[in-house]
Amino acid sequence: MRRPMVAGNWKMHGTRASVAELTQGLGEMPIPSGIEVAVFPPALFISQVIDGLEGKGIIVGAQNSAVQPEQGALTGEVAPSQLAEVGCKLVLVGHSERRQIIGESDEVLNRKFAAAQKSGLTPVLCVGETLEEREAGKTLEVVGRQLSSVIDAFGIAAFANAVIAYEPVWAIGTGLTASPQQAQDVHAAIRKQLAVKDAEVANKVQLLYGGSVKAANAAELFGMPDIDGGLIGGASLNADEFGAICRAAGN
Ligand code: 13P
């Protein structure tokens, strides 16, 4: 059985004070047994959050990491080996905000994916279509292509140590959530695409849904057979709301 995971992507939010408050709230939150809980603070606050959550059973990840595993002359970047050294376990790769706003290409993302794994981090590969692509009936084609980019470069075995997050771009931060069936359909297609290459890897990989998940809609989404939890943006900035989403995954 796959363990459900609920992960909070804090994006570019927070001050030292608000991060301290949120970290304390998360530390006091009861975590349902059998689920994994993770948070992705801005890089600046990762060490603060790791220290604040020590012994609390919450995994800390990074929102981004460099294209090379080792530290070096690469101004402004953070090496995945540095993230691993301070205690990060996960890193987001290919969030739509980085694909679209920063302009990260599949080629750059592949390098980040490989560098993360080489450093002992588990990449969380984010895929998803825009509204225009969905309306043109291209959802599965777009998501399939984003996934193929990694499979073609590194083989299916790369997904034995990775998480996939399906985040339709039109549902991110908009209050529009994919219906449980819409999300399930894409998750099932992702798992099928992996299963063609390796059924065991496909069956084991955690597939998270992201896009306006909140306490009110989490249980229904997480109840779908191929949805193994969520990647939560806005609602993860409130410990009570995030805690309620975690409980929905635990039921
Ligand atoms: P929201 O939950 O704010 O829609 O963000 C989703 C997301 O992008 C998580 O990575």
Side-chain angles (χ1 to χ4, degrees), residues 63-64 94-104 112:
Q63 298 171 19
N64 178 41
H95 192 281
S96 62
E97 286 150 16
R98 297 201 62 88
R99 290 181 190 264
Q100 298 199 323
I101 302 170
I102 315 286
E104 288 184 341
K112 292 189 172 193

Side-chain angles (χ1 to χ4, degrees), residues 140-225:
L140 298 185
E141 181 189 325
V142 170
V143 169
R145 197 168 59 227
Q146 291 167 337
L147 201 56
S148 288
S149 164
V150 178
I151 299 173
D152 293 350
F154 309 115
I156 188 69
F159 285 95
N161 174 35
V163 174
I164 298 171
Y166 167 57
E167 300 204 304
V169 178
W170 49 272
I172 294 178
T174 57
L176 292 173
T177 315
S179 70
Q181 193 58 52
Q182 279 175 323
Q184 164 60 24
D185 289 348
V186 180
H187 283 231
I190 291 172
R191 212 179 292 285
K192 196 167 155 206
Q193 186 178 348
L194 298 171
V196 169
K197 304 270 185 190
D198 189 320
E200 193 184 339
V201 168
N203 194 38
K204 284 190 175 160
V205 70
Q206 290 160 307
L207 302 185
L208 313 183
Y209 168 78
S212 298
V213 178
K214 40 190 183 285
N217 59 22
E220 224 191 332
L221 286 159
F222 300 166
M224 302 308 279

